[in-house]
C-alpha cells in the first residue's frame, strides 16, 4: 500500500502531498478539480501508460518547468517514483529506492488495478481495451508479464519495420526476431490463460455482482515461430503482423444467463466488471500475499444505492481503495475512510 504520495507539476497539481489511509480514500470535488489526475498519477506507478493511456508530454503542468514527478513511499518503507524531464518529455524515468529501474520492476513492488467511466464500454468496443484490461489483471498476478509484453512488442515492431522495407530483408535476421517473438509471445499467452482460468466463474454469483464465464480467443497458442515465418509475405502486404497474442480477445459471458456481456444491459455490464475486479483482488492476495491498490474513478455515480452499498461492503478490508466522486453524499454508506476535498489542483483532508 501507499503511505505517502507526492505530485510535482503533474497535470493541474503543482505540489500536492497526500498521506492516504490503508483502507478507503475518498476524493470529492467538482469536475475538473484534479481528482482523476491523482488516480492517474498512482496508475503510473505500474508498467504501461496509466489509466488514461495519454502521452507523457501531456501530463506535465502547462505552466510548469516542462517535466513532472510522482513519488510514493510504500508501507514496507521502500520508495518508488516516476517522472519526466523538460529536455526529454516523452521518456519516463523510473526510480526505486533512489536508483534507476525499469518500468517492469514496478510491478514487483505494487499491484494496481483501475476502473474508469471510459471502461463502461469495455464489452462493446474493440478487443484492444479488453486485452489491455486482461493484461493488467495478469500483471498483478505475475509481475514478469510486463517484461514479456515489452520483449514481444519490441521484436514485433522491428519485424514489421523490416518487412516494410523495399529491399528484401535478411531471412536469418527475421528468423531471430521471430524466435524472440515466439518465446515472449508464448509466455505472454500462457500467463493470460492462467489468469482467465483463475477468474473463470468469478463474481459473487448474485444480482449485485454476478459470476462471469471467461474465455481467451483470437490466438490458440500454436507454434508461433512457424506461423510468423509462413506469414511473412502476407504480413508485408498488410503492413502489420496478423498472427500472435496481440490479436487475442477476452470473451465474457453472464454465467447465470448464458448471455454475452456485450448483449447485457449497461447495469449488468458494470456489475460483471466490478465482480471481476473483486474476484481478482482476492486472487492477488492469495497468490502474492499483498492486496492490489484499487482506483475506482466515479464508480459510485454509475450504481444504484443498493449496489453502491453492496460494493462498499465487498471492498471493506480488501486493502487500499481510492474512489472519486463529485458529491460526498455518494459515499455516505462508507463508515471508515479518509476523506479529501480536491479543488483546482489542491487537496485538503476533511
Amino acid at each position: 500500500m501507499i503511505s505517502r504520495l507526492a505530485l510535482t507539476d503533474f497535470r493541474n497539481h503543482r505540489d500536492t502531498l497526500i498521506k492516504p489511509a490503508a483502507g478507503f480514500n475518498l476524493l470529492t470535488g467538482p469536475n475538473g478539480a484534479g481528482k482523476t489526475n491523482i488516480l492517474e498519477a498512482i496508475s503510473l506507478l505500474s508498467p504501461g501508460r496509466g489509466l488514461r493511456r495519454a502521452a507523457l508530454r501531456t501530463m506535465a503542468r502547462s505552466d510548469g518547468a516542462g517535466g513532472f514527478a510522482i513519488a510514493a513511499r510504500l508501507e514496507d518503507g521502500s520508495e518508488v517514483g516516476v517522472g519526466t524531464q523538460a529536455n526529454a518529455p516523452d521518456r519516463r524515468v523510473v526510480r526505486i529506492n533512489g536508483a534507476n529501474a525499469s518500468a517492469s520492476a514496478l510491478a514487483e513492488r505494487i499491484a494496481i488495478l483501475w476502473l474508469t467511466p471510459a471502461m463502461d464500454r469495455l464489452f462493446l468496443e474493440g478487443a484492444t481495451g479488453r486485452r489491455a484490461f486482461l493484461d493488467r489483471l495478469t500483471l498483478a498476478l505475475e509481475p514478469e508479464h510486463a517484461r514479456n509484453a515489452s520483449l514481444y512488442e519490441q521484436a514485433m515492431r522491428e519485424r514489421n519495420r523490416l518487412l516494410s522495407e523495399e529491399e528484401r530483408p535478411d531471412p536469418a535476421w527475421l528468423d531471430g526476431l521471430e524466435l524472440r517473438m515466439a518465446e515472449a509471445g508464448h509466455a505472454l499467452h500462457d500467463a493470460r490463460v492462467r489468469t482467465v482460468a483463475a477468474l473463470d466463474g468469478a463474481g459473487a454469483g448474485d444480482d449485485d455482482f454476478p459470476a462471469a464465464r471467461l474465455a481467451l480467443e483470437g490466438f490458440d497458442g500454436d507454434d508461433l515461430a512457424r506461423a510468423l515465418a509462413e506469414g511473412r509475405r502476407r504480413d508485408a502486404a498488410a503492413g502489420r503482423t496478423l498472427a500472435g497474442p496481440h490479436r487475442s480477445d477476452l470473451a465474457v459471458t453472464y454465467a447465470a444467463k448464458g448471455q454475452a456481456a456485450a448483449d447485457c444491459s449497461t447495469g449488468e455490464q458494470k456489475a460483471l466488471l466490478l465482480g471481476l475486479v473483486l474476484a481478482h483482488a482476492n486472487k492477488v492476495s492469495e497468490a502474492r500475499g499483498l492486496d492490489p491498490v484499487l482506483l475506482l474513478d466515479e464508480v459510485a455515480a454509475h450504481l444504484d444505492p443498493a449496489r453502491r452499498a453492496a460494493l462498499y461492503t465487498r471492498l471493506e478490508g480488501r486493502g487500499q481503495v481510492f474512489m472519486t466522486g463529485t458529491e460526498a453524499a455518494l459515499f455516505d454508506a462508507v463508515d471508515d475512510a479518509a476523506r479529501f476535498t480536491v479543488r483546482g489542483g489542491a487537496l485538503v483532508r476533511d
Side-chain angles (χ1 to χ4, degrees):
M1 293 184 286
I2 298 170
S3 59
R4 183 182 186 274
L5 178 72
L7 312 183
T8 304
D9 287 339
F10 181 78
R11 297 289 190 184
N12 66 336
H13 290 269
R14 179 191 300 272
D15 185 16
T16 295
L17 175 66
I18 177 173
K19 295 182 179 180
F24 287 107
N25 294 275
L26 311 178
L27 309 175
T28 59
N31 291 326
K35 305 183 300 295
T36 303
N37 293 342
I38 294 175
L39 301 195
E40 182 183 30
I42 298 172
S43 74
L44 290 171
L45 297 173
S46 64
R49 296 170 55 187
L51 60 80
R52 283 193 176 107
R53 297 186 62 78
L56 287 170
R57 63 169 57 239
T58 67
M59 299 178 189
R61 191 166 58 88
S62 58
D63 55 348
F68 69 85
I70 302 165
R73 180 178 298 132
L74 306 184
E75 62 177 335
D76 64 359
S78 62
E79 297 187 353
V80 298
V82 299
T84 62
Q85 297 177 340
N87 60 355
D90 295 314
R91 178 175 176 269
R92 178 161 71 163
V93 177
V94 177
R95 297 181 70 82
I96 297 178
N97 292 327
N100 289 334
S102 66
S104 59
L106 292 169
E108 299 173 5
R109 298 276 177 170
I110 184 172
I112 303 174
L113 189 67
W114 56 84
L115 288 180
T116 68
M119 293 172 65
D120 287 350
R121 295 185 58 80
L122 185 72
F123 303 125
L124 301 177
E125 297 181 344
T128 300
R130 290 186 292 276
R131 193 164 50 246
F133 175 66
L134 176 58
D135 280 338
R136 287 195 295 275
L137 298 177
T138 304
L139 179 64
L141 288 166
E142 303 186 30
E144 64 275 13
H145 188 66
R147 179 177 177 274
N148 290 325
S150 178
L151 290 173
Y152 181 81
E153 292 289 339
Q154 290 172 7
M156 182 169 64
R157 283 195 299 269
E158 180 63 14
R159 177 180 181 271
N160 289 343
R161 185 189 66 78
L162 288 177
L163 290 176
S164 69
E165 294 179 350
E166 292 185 9
E167 184 177 348
R168 187 176 180 181
D170 181 356
W173 185 245
L174 284 173
D175 287 343
L177 286 172
E178 288 165 357
L179 180 60
R180 283 165 53 194
M181 283 183 67
E183 290 174 347
H186 283 298
L188 195 67
H189 174 74
D190 291 347
R192 288 172 177 168
V193 168
R194 288 191 292 271
T195 298
V196 167
L199 296 178
D200 186 30
D206 56 28
D207 290 336
D208 288 326
F209 306 105
R213 300 308 307 265
L214 307 182
L216 193 60
E217 301 176 343
F219 176 67
D220 57 13
D222 284 346
D223 189 347
L224 181 57
R226 178 176 56 81
L228 292 171
E230 293 175 351
R232 289 174 186 174
R233 181 172 297 181
R234 177 201 61 195
D235 292 349
R240 63 188 188 279
T241 301
L242 297 176
H246 64 287
R247 308 281 290 179
S248 295
D249 192 4
L250 176 66
V252 181
T253 302
Y254 191 138
K257 293 186 175 183
Q259 186 174 29
D263 298 327
C264 293
S265 70
T266 301
E268 288 173 333
Q269 290 176 10
K270 188 75 172 186
L272 285 168
L273 196 55
L274 283 165
L276 281 172
V277 170
L278 294 172
H280 175 262
N282 285 339
K283 294 295 183 181
V284 174
S285 298
E286 294 169 4
R288 297 184 58 187
L290 60 84
D291 293 315
V293 175
L294 298 181
L295 312 177
L296 306 179
D297 191 25
E298 300 288 351
V299 67
H302 300 274
L303 299 175
D304 58 58
R307 190 164 279 163
R308 195 183 304 155
L311 174 63
Y312 300 154
T313 299
R314 302 280 170 80
L315 288 172
E316 190 171 357
R318 290 177 181 260
Q320 197 168 43
V321 181
F322 293 81
M323 292 192 287
T324 66
T326 55
E327 303 292 337
L330 291 169
F331 304 114
D332 283 348
V334 180
D335 293 328
D336 188 14
R339 300 171 187 266
F340 303 88
T341 298
V342 185
R343 292 183 182 276
L347 180 145
V348 177
R349 183 159 180 165
D350 298 345

